[in-house]
Amino acid sequence: MKSIRCILSAVMLSATGLAQAETAMAGIGSASCDVWLDARKKPQQDREAIIEGLVLAWVQGFLSSKNATGAKGKSVLDVPPPTSIELVMDKICGDNPDWKIYIAADTFATVLIDQYRGSGRK
């Protein structure tokens, strides 16, 4: 749980300098963060549960793809478990509901990459 607090603190610091540049993006990642926030409300209807699952899987895949773009056989970040992704996305999107999901995921990835490098693994 300590690592989640570190991630949340780092996300808050790094998110302030991010600009929403137009990027070619498709799928649920191009939706705004308010879609995530609406899907996380309890009690959930079937539609919200499906959207929550789609966003979670999309963010997990986005984070995983960062490892695929690194040097062959080298990871650039540790992909956290779904429960951690949910907490971080709740925080990022809660603070920035007008952001696109891919912007939130990229902010999260940047923090994870910095932590990975800071742990001595490069």
Coordinates of all heavy atoms in Angstrom, one line a residue, residues 37-116:
L37 N -15.2 8.0 -14.2 CA -15.8 8.4 -12.9 C -17.2 7.9 -12.8 O -17.7 7.5 -11.8 CB -15.6 9.9 -12.7 CG -14.2 10.4 -12.7 CD1 -14.2 11.9 -12.7 CD2 -13.5 9.9 -11.4
D38 N -18.0 8.1 -13.9 CA -19.4 7.7 -13.9 C -19.5 6.1 -13.8 O -20.3 5.6 -13.1 CB -20.1 8.1 -15.2 CG -20.4 9.6 -15.3 OD1 -20.3 10.2 -14.2 OD2 -20.7 10.0 -16.4
A39 N -18.6 5.4 -14.4 CA -18.6 4.0 -14.4 C -18.2 3.4 -13.0 O -18.6 2.4 -12.6 CB -17.6 3.4 -15.4
R40 N -17.5 4.2 -12.2 CA -17.0 3.8 -10.9 C -18.1 4.1 -9.8 O -17.9 3.6 -8.7 CB -15.7 4.5 -10.5 CG -14.6 4.1 -11.4 CD -14.0 2.8 -11.0 NE -13.2 2.9 -9.8 CZ -12.9 1.9 -9.0 NH1 -13.2 0.7 -9.3 NH2 -12.3 2.1 -7.9
K41 N -19.1 4.8 -10.1 CA -20.1 5.1 -9.1 C -20.8 3.8 -8.7 O -21.1 2.9 -9.5 CB -21.1 6.1 -9.6 CG -20.6 7.5 -9.8 CD -21.6 8.4 -10.4 CE -20.9 9.8 -10.6 NZ -21.8 10.7 -11.4
K42 N -21.2 3.7 -7.4 CA -21.9 2.6 -6.9 C -23.3 3.0 -6.5 O -23.5 4.1 -6.0 CB -21.1 2.0 -5.7 CG -19.7 1.6 -5.9 CD -19.5 0.5 -6.9 CE -18.1 0.2 -7.1 NZ -17.8 -0.6 -8.2
P43 N -24.3 2.2 -6.6 CA -24.3 0.9 -7.2 C -24.1 1.0 -8.7 O -24.6 2.0 -9.3 CB -25.6 0.3 -6.8 CG -26.5 1.4 -6.6 CD -25.6 2.5 -6.1
Q44 N -23.5 0.0 -9.3 CA -23.3 0.0 -10.8 C -24.4 -0.7 -11.5 O -24.9 -1.7 -11.0 CB -22.0 -0.7 -11.1 CG -20.8 0.1 -10.9 CD -19.5 -0.7 -11.3 OE1 -19.5 -1.9 -11.2 NE2 -18.6 0.0 -11.9
Q45 N -24.8 -0.2 -12.6 CA -25.6 -0.9 -13.6 C -24.7 -1.7 -14.4 O -23.5 -1.5 -14.4 CB -26.4 0.2 -14.4 CG -27.3 1.1 -13.6 CD -28.4 0.4 -12.9 OE1 -29.0 -0.6 -13.4 NE2 -28.6 0.8 -11.6
D46 N -25.3 -2.6 -15.2 CA -24.5 -3.5 -16.0 C -23.6 -2.7 -17.0 O -22.5 -3.0 -17.2 CB -25.4 -4.5 -16.8 CG -26.0 -5.5 -16.0 OD1 -25.5 -5.8 -14.8 OD2 -27.0 -6.1 -16.4
R47 N -24.2 -1.7 -17.6 CA -23.5 -0.8 -18.5 C -22.2 -0.2 -17.9 O -21.1 -0.2 -18.5 CB -24.4 0.3 -19.1 CG -23.7 1.2 -20.0 CD -24.7 2.3 -20.5 NE -24.1 3.1 -21.5 CZ -23.4 4.2 -21.3 NH1 -23.2 4.6 -20.0 NH2 -22.8 4.9 -22.2
E48 N -22.3 0.3 -16.7 CA -21.2 0.9 -16.0 C -20.1 -0.1 -15.6 O -18.9 0.2 -15.7 CB -21.6 1.7 -14.8 CG -22.3 3.0 -15.1 CD -23.7 2.9 -15.5 OE1 -24.4 1.9 -15.3 OE2 -24.2 3.9 -16.2
A49 N -20.6 -1.3 -15.3 CA -19.6 -2.3 -14.9 C -18.8 -2.7 -16.1 O -17.6 -3.0 -16.1 CB -20.3 -3.6 -14.3
I50 N -19.5 -2.8 -17.3 CA -18.8 -3.1 -18.5 C -17.8 -2.0 -18.9 O -16.7 -2.3 -19.3 CB -19.8 -3.4 -19.7 CG1 -20.6 -4.7 -19.4 CG2 -19.1 -3.4 -21.0 CD1 -21.8 -4.9 -20.3
I51 N -18.2 -0.8 -18.8 CA -17.3 0.3 -19.1 C -16.1 0.4 -18.2 O -15.0 0.6 -18.7 CB -18.1 1.7 -19.1 CG1 -19.1 1.7 -20.3 CG2 -17.1 2.9 -19.2 CD1 -20.1 2.9 -20.3
E52 N -16.4 0.1 -16.9 CA -15.3 0.1 -16.0 C -14.2 -1.0 -16.4 O -13.0 -0.8 -16.4 CB -15.8 -0.2 -14.6 CG -14.7 -0.2 -13.5 CD -15.1 -0.6 -12.1 OE1 -16.3 -1.0 -12.0 OE2 -14.4 -0.4 -11.2
G53 N -14.7 -2.2 -16.7 CA -13.9 -3.2 -17.1 C -13.1 -2.9 -18.4 O -11.9 -3.2 -18.5
L54 N -13.8 -2.3 -19.4 CA -13.1 -1.9 -20.6 C -12.0 -0.9 -20.4 O -10.9 -1.0 -20.9 CB -14.1 -1.3 -21.6 CG -15.1 -2.2 -22.3 CD1 -16.2 -1.4 -23.0 CD2 -14.3 -3.1 -23.2
V55 N -12.3 0.1 -19.6 CA -11.3 1.1 -19.3 C -10.1 0.5 -18.5 O -8.9 0.8 -18.9 CB -11.8 2.3 -18.5 CG1 -10.7 3.3 -18.1 CG2 -12.9 3.1 -19.4
L56 N -10.4 -0.3 -17.6 CA -9.3 -0.9 -16.8 C -8.4 -1.8 -17.7 O -7.2 -1.7 -17.6 CB -9.9 -1.8 -15.7 CG -8.9 -2.5 -14.8 CD1 -8.0 -1.6 -14.1 CD2 -9.7 -3.4 -13.7
A57 N -9.0 -2.6 -18.6 CA -8.3 -3.4 -19.5 C -7.5 -2.6 -20.5 O -6.3 -2.9 -20.8 CB -9.2 -4.4 -20.2
W58 N -8.1 -1.5 -20.9 CA -7.4 -0.6 -21.9 C -6.1 0.0 -21.2 O -5.1 0.0 -21.8 CB -8.3 0.5 -22.4 CG -7.8 1.3 -23.5 CD1 -8.0 1.0 -24.8 CD2 -6.9 2.4 -23.5 NE1 -7.3 1.9 -25.6 CE2 -6.6 2.8 -24.8 CE3 -6.3 3.1 -22.4 CZ2 -5.7 3.9 -25.1 CZ3 -5.5 4.2 -22.7 CH2 -5.2 4.5 -24.1
V59 N -6.3 0.5 -20.0 CA -5.2 1.1 -19.3 C -4.1 0.1 -19.0 O -2.9 0.4 -19.2 CB -5.6 1.8 -18.0 CG1 -4.4 2.3 -17.1 CG2 -6.5 3.0 -18.3
Q60 N -4.5 -1.1 -18.6 CA -3.5 -2.2 -18.3 C -2.8 -2.5 -19.6 O -1.5 -2.7 -19.6 CB -4.3 -3.4 -17.8 CG -3.5 -4.3 -17.0 CD -4.3 -5.3 -16.3 OE1 -5.4 -5.7 -16.8 NE2 -3.9 -5.8 -15.2
G61 N -3.4 -2.5 -20.7 CA -2.8 -2.8 -22.0 C -1.9 -1.6 -22.4 O -0.8 -1.9 -23.0
F62 N -2.3 -0.4 -22.2 CA -1.5 0.8 -22.5 C -0.2 0.7 -21.7 O 0.9 0.9 -22.2 CB -2.3 2.0 -22.2 CG -1.6 3.3 -22.5 CD1 -1.7 3.9 -23.8 CD2 -0.8 3.9 -21.5 CE1 -1.0 5.1 -24.1 CE2 -0.1 5.1 -21.8 CZ -0.2 5.7 -23.1
L63 N -0.3 0.4 -20.4 CA 0.9 0.4 -19.5 C 1.8 -0.8 -20.0 O 3.0 -0.6 -20.1 CB 0.5 0.2 -18.1 CG -0.3 1.3 -17.4 CD1 -0.7 1.0 -16.0 CD2 0.6 2.6 -17.4
S64 N 1.2 -1.9 -20.3 CA 2.0 -3.1 -20.8 C 2.7 -2.7 -22.1 O 3.8 -3.2 -22.3 CB 1.1 -4.3 -21.0 OG 0.5 -4.7 -19.8
S65 N 2.1 -2.0 -23.0 CA 2.7 -1.6 -24.3 C 3.9 -0.8 -24.1 O 4.8 -0.9 -25.0 CB 1.7 -0.9 -25.1 OG 1.5 0.5 -24.7
K66 N 4.1 -0.1 -23.0 CA 5.3 0.7 -22.8 C 6.5 -0.3 -22.7 O 7.6 0.1 -23.1 CB 5.2 1.5 -21.5 CG 4.1 2.6 -21.6 CD 4.5 3.6 -22.6 CE 3.5 4.8 -22.6 NZ 3.8 5.9 -23.4
N67 N 6.3 -1.5 -22.1 CA 7.4 -2.5 -22.1 C 7.7 -3.0 -23.5 O 8.9 -3.3 -23.7 CB 7.0 -3.6 -21.1 CG 7.1 -3.2 -19.7 OD1 7.9 -2.4 -19.3 ND2 6.2 -3.8 -18.9
A68 N 6.8 -3.1 -24.3 CA 7.0 -3.6 -25.7 C 7.8 -2.6 -26.5 O 8.5 -3.0 -27.5 CB 5.7 -3.9 -26.4
T69 N 7.8 -1.3 -26.2 CA 8.5 -0.3 -26.9 C 9.9 -0.1 -26.4 O 10.6 0.7 -27.0 CB 7.7 1.0 -27.0 OG1 7.6 1.5 -25.6 CG2 6.4 0.9 -27.6
G70 N 10.2 -0.7 -25.3 CA 11.6 -0.6 -24.8 C 12.6 -1.4 -25.6 O 12.2 -2.1 -26.5
A71 N 13.8 -1.5 -25.1 CA 14.8 -2.3 -25.7 C 14.3 -3.8 -25.6 O 13.7 -4.2 -24.7 CB 16.2 -2.1 -25.1
K72 N 14.7 -4.6 -26.6 CA 14.3 -6.0 -26.7 C 14.7 -6.7 -25.4 O 15.8 -6.7 -24.9 CB 14.9 -6.7 -27.8 CG 14.4 -8.0 -28.1 CD 14.8 -8.6 -29.4 CE 14.2 -9.9 -29.6 NZ 13.3 -10.0 -30.8
G73 N 13.7 -7.3 -24.8 CA 13.9 -8.0 -23.5 C 14.0 -7.1 -22.3 O 14.2 -7.7 -21.2
K74 N 13.8 -5.8 -22.4 CA 13.9 -4.9 -21.3 C 12.6 -4.3 -21.0 O 12.0 -3.7 -21.8 CB 15.0 -3.8 -21.6 CG 16.3 -4.3 -21.9 CD 17.1 -4.6 -20.6 CE 18.5 -5.0 -20.9 NZ 19.3 -5.2 -19.7
S75 N 12.2 -4.4 -19.7 CA 11.0 -3.7 -19.3 C 11.3 -2.3 -18.9 O 12.5 -2.0 -18.6 CB 10.4 -4.4 -18.0 OG 9.9 -5.6 -18.4
V76 N 10.4 -1.4 -19.0 CA 10.6 0.0 -18.6 C 9.7 0.4 -17.4 O 9.9 1.5 -16.8 CB 10.3 1.0 -19.8 CG1 11.3 0.8 -20.9 CG2 8.9 0.9 -20.3
L77 N 8.8 -0.5 -17.0 CA 7.9 -0.2 -15.9 C 7.3 -1.5 -15.4 O 7.3 -2.5 -16.1 CB 6.8 0.8 -16.2 CG 5.8 0.5 -17.3 CD1 4.7 -0.5 -16.8 CD2 5.1 1.8 -17.7
D78 N 6.9 -1.6 -14.1 CA 6.2 -2.7 -13.6 C 4.7 -2.4 -13.7 O 4.3 -1.3 -13.2 CB 6.5 -2.9 -12.1 CG 8.0 -3.4 -11.9 OD1 8.4 -4.2 -12.7 OD2 8.6 -3.0 -10.9
V79 N 4.0 -3.2 -14.4 CA 2.5 -3.0 -14.5 C 1.9 -3.4 -13.2 O 2.0 -4.6 -12.8 CB 1.9 -3.9 -15.7 CG1 0.4 -3.6 -15.8 CG2 2.6 -3.5 -17.0
P80 N 1.2 -2.5 -12.6 CA 0.6 -2.8 -11.3 C -0.7 -3.6 -11.4 O -1.3 -3.7 -12.5 CB 0.2 -1.4 -10.7 CG 0.2 -0.5 -11.8 CD 1.0 -1.1 -12.9
P81 N -1.2 -4.2 -10.3 CA -2.4 -5.0 -10.3 C -3.6 -4.1 -10.6 O -3.5 -2.9 -10.4 CB -2.4 -5.7 -9.0 CG -1.6 -4.8 -8.1 CD -0.6 -4.2 -9.0
P82 N -4.7 -4.7 -11.0 CA -5.9 -3.9 -11.4 C -6.4 -3.0 -10.2 O -6.8 -1.9 -10.5 CB -6.9 -5.0 -11.7 CG -6.1 -6.2 -12.2 CD -4.9 -6.1 -11.4
T83 N -6.3 -3.5 -9.0 CA -6.8 -2.7 -7.9 C -6.0 -1.4 -7.7 O -6.5 -0.4 -7.4 CB -6.8 -3.5 -6.5 OG1 -5.5 -4.0 -6.4 CG2 -7.8 -4.6 -6.5
S84 N -4.7 -1.5 -8.0 CA -3.9 -0.3 -7.9 C -4.2 0.6 -9.1 O -4.2 1.9 -8.9 CB -2.4 -0.7 -8.0 OG -2.0 -1.4 -6.8
I85 N -4.4 0.1 -10.3 CA -4.7 0.9 -11.4 C -6.0 1.6 -11.1 O -6.2 2.8 -11.4 CB -4.8 0.0 -12.7 CG1 -3.5 -0.5 -13.1 CG2 -5.4 0.9 -13.9 CD1 -3.5 -1.5 -14.2
E86 N -7.0 1.0 -10.6 CA -8.3 1.6 -10.2 C -8.1 2.8 -9.3 O -8.6 3.9 -9.6 CB -9.2 0.6 -9.6 CG -9.7 -0.5 -10.5 CD -10.5 -1.6 -9.8 OE1 -10.4 -1.7 -8.5 OE2 -11.1 -2.4 -10.5
L87 N -7.3 2.6 -8.3 CA -7.1 3.7 -7.3 C -6.4 4.9 -8.0 O -6.8 6.1 -7.7 CB -6.2 3.2 -6.1 CG -6.9 2.2 -5.2 CD1 -5.8 1.7 -4.2 CD2 -8.0 2.9 -4.5
V88 N -5.4 4.6 -8.8 CA -4.6 5.7 -9.4 C -5.5 6.4 -10.5 O -5.6 7.7 -10.5 CB -3.3 5.2 -10.0 CG1 -2.6 6.3 -10.8 CG2 -2.4 4.7 -8.9
M89 N -6.3 5.7 -11.2 CA -7.2 6.3 -12.2 C -8.3 7.1 -11.5 O -8.7 8.1 -12.0 CB -7.8 5.2 -13.1 CG -6.8 4.6 -14.1 SD -6.0 5.8 -15.2 CE -7.4 6.2 -16.3
D90 N -8.8 6.6 -10.4 CA -9.7 7.4 -9.6 C -9.2 8.7 -9.2 O -9.8 9.8 -9.4 CB -10.1 6.7 -8.3 CG -11.1 5.5 -8.6 OD1 -11.6 5.3 -9.7 OD2 -11.2 4.7 -7.6
K91 N -7.9 8.8 -8.8 CA -7.3 10.0 -8.4 C -7.0 10.9 -9.6 O -7.4 12.1 -9.5 CB -5.9 9.7 -7.6 CG -5.1 10.9 -7.3 CD -5.8 11.8 -6.3 CE -5.0 13.0 -5.9 NZ -5.8 14.1 -5.5
I92 N -6.4 10.4 -10.6 CA -6.0 11.2 -11.8 C -7.3 11.8 -12.4 O -7.4 13.0 -12.7 CB -5.2 10.5 -12.8 CG1 -3.9 10.0 -12.2 CG2 -5.0 11.3 -14.1 CD1 -3.1 9.1 -13.2
C93 N -8.3 10.9 -12.6 CA -9.5 11.4 -13.3 C -10.4 12.2 -12.4 O -11.0 13.1 -12.9 CB -10.3 10.1 -13.8 SG -9.6 9.4 -15.2
G94 N -10.3 12.0 -11.1 CA -11.1 12.8 -10.1 C -10.5 14.2 -10.1 O -11.3 15.2 -10.0
D95 N -9.2 14.4 -10.3 CA -8.6 15.7 -10.3 C -8.7 16.4 -11.7 O -8.6 17.6 -11.8 CB -7.1 15.6 -10.0 CG -6.9 15.3 -8.5 OD1 -7.8 15.3 -7.7 OD2 -5.7 14.9 -8.1
N96 N -8.9 15.5 -12.7 CA -8.9 16.0 -14.1 C -10.0 15.4 -15.0 O -9.7 14.7 -15.9 CB -7.5 15.7 -14.8 CG -6.4 16.2 -13.9 OD1 -6.1 17.4 -13.9 ND2 -5.7 15.3 -13.2
P97 N -11.3 15.6 -14.6 CA -12.4 14.9 -15.3 C -12.5 15.2 -16.8 O -13.0 14.4 -17.5 CB -13.6 15.3 -14.6 CG -13.2 16.6 -13.9 CD -11.8 16.5 -13.6
D98 N -11.9 16.3 -17.2 CA -12.0 16.6 -18.7 C -10.8 16.0 -19.5 O -10.8 16.1 -20.7 CB -12.0 18.1 -18.9 CG -10.8 18.8 -18.2 OD1 -10.3 18.4 -17.2 OD2 -10.3 19.8 -18.8
W99 N -9.8 15.4 -18.8 CA -8.7 14.8 -19.5 C -9.3 13.5 -20.3 O -10.2 12.9 -19.8 CB -7.7 14.3 -18.5 CG -6.7 15.4 -18.1 CD1 -6.8 16.7 -18.3 CD2 -5.5 15.1 -17.5 NE1 -5.7 17.3 -17.7 CE2 -4.9 16.4 -17.2 CE3 -4.8 14.0 -17.0 CZ2 -3.6 16.5 -16.6 CZ3 -3.6 14.1 -16.4 CH2 -3.0 15.4 -16.2
K100 N -8.6 13.2 -21.3 CA -8.8 11.9 -22.0 C -8.2 10.8 -21.2 O -7.2 11.0 -20.5 CB -8.3 11.9 -23.4 CG -8.8 13.0 -24.3 CD -10.2 12.8 -24.6 CE -10.7 13.8 -25.6 NZ -12.1 13.8 -25.8
I101 N -8.8 9.6 -21.2 CA -8.3 8.5 -20.5 C -6.8 8.2 -20.9 O -6.0 7.8 -20.0 CB -9.2 7.2 -20.7 CG1 -10.5 7.5 -19.9 CG2 -8.5 5.9 -20.2 CD1 -11.6 6.6 -20.3
Y102 N -6.5 8.3 -22.2 CA -5.1 8.1 -22.6 C -4.1 9.0 -21.9 O -3.0 8.7 -21.7 CB -4.9 8.0 -24.1 CG -4.9 9.3 -24.8 CD1 -3.7 10.0 -25.0 CD2 -6.1 9.9 -25.4 CE1 -3.7 11.2 -25.7 CE2 -6.0 11.0 -26.0 CZ -4.8 11.7 -26.2 OH -4.8 12.9 -26.8
I103 N -4.5 10.3 -21.7 CA -3.7 11.3 -21.0 C -3.4 10.8 -19.6 O -2.3 10.9 -19.1 CB -4.3 12.7 -21.1 CG1 -4.4 13.2 -22.5 CG2 -3.5 13.6 -20.2 CD1 -3.1 13.6 -23.1
A104 N -4.5 10.4 -18.9 CA -4.4 9.9 -17.5 C -3.5 8.7 -17.5 O -2.6 8.5 -16.6 CB -5.8 9.5 -17.0
A105 N -3.6 7.7 -18.4 CA -2.8 6.5 -18.5 C -1.4 6.9 -18.8 O -0.4 6.3 -18.2 CB -3.4 5.6 -19.6
D106 N -1.1 7.8 -19.6 CA 0.2 8.2 -20.0 C 0.9 8.9 -18.8 O 2.1 8.7 -18.5 CB 0.3 9.1 -21.2 CG 1.6 9.3 -21.8 OD1 2.3 8.2 -22.1 OD2 2.1 10.4 -22.0
T107 N 0.2 9.7 -18.0 CA 0.7 10.3 -16.8 C 1.1 9.2 -15.8 O 2.2 9.3 -15.2 CB -0.4 11.3 -16.2 OG1 -0.7 12.3 -17.1 CG2 0.1 11.9 -14.9
F108 N 0.2 8.3 -15.7 CA 0.5 7.1 -14.8 C 1.8 6.4 -15.2 O 2.6 6.1 -14.5 CB -0.7 6.2 -14.8 CG -0.8 5.1 -13.8 CD1 0.1 5.0 -12.7 CD2 -1.7 4.1 -13.9 CE1 0.1 4.0 -11.8 CE2 -1.8 3.1 -13.0 CZ -0.9 3.0 -12.0
A109 N 1.9 6.1 -16.5 CA 3.0 5.4 -17.1 C 4.3 6.2 -16.8 O 5.3 5.6 -16.5 CB 2.8 5.2 -18.6
T110 N 4.3 7.5 -17.0 CA 5.5 8.3 -16.8 C 6.0 8.1 -15.3 O 7.2 8.0 -15.1 CB 5.2 9.8 -17.1 OG1 4.8 9.9 -18.4 CG2 6.4 10.7 -16.8
V111 N 5.0 8.2 -14.4 CA 5.4 8.0 -13.0 C 6.0 6.6 -12.7 O 7.0 6.4 -12.1 CB 4.2 8.2 -12.1 CG1 4.5 7.8 -10.6 CG2 3.8 9.7 -12.1
L112 N 5.3 5.6 -13.3 CA 5.8 4.2 -13.1 C 7.2 4.0 -13.8 O 8.1 3.3 -13.2 CB 4.9 3.2 -13.8 CG 3.5 3.1 -13.1 CD1 2.6 2.2 -13.9 CD2 3.7 2.5 -11.7
I113 N 7.5 4.6 -14.9 CA 8.8 4.5 -15.6 C 9.8 5.2 -14.7 O 10.9 4.7 -14.5 CB 8.7 5.2 -17.0 CG1 7.9 4.3 -17.9 CG2 10.1 5.4 -17.5 CD1 7.5 4.9 -19.2
D114 N 9.5 6.4 -14.1 CA 10.5 7.1 -13.3 C 10.8 6.2 -12.0 O 11.9 6.2 -11.6 CB 9.9 8.4 -12.8 CG 9.9 9.5 -14.0 OD1 10.6 9.2 -15.0 OD2 9.2 10.5 -13.8
Q115 N 9.7 5.6 -11.5 CA 10.0 4.7 -10.3 C 10.8 3.5 -10.6 O 11.7 3.1 -9.9 CB 8.6 4.3 -9.7 CG 7.9 5.3 -9.0 CD 6.6 4.8 -8.3 OE1 6.1 3.8 -8.7 NE2 6.1 5.6 -7.3
Y116 N 10.6 3.0 -11.8 CA 11.3 1.8 -12.2 C 12.8 2.2 -12.4 O 13.7 1.4 -11.9 CB 10.8 1.3 -13.6 CG 11.3 -0.1 -14.0 CD1 10.6 -1.2 -13.6 CD2 12.3 -0.2 -14.9 CE1 11.1 -2.5 -14.0 CE2 12.8 -1.4 -15.3 CZ 12.1 -2.6 -14.9 OH 12.6 -3.8 -15.3

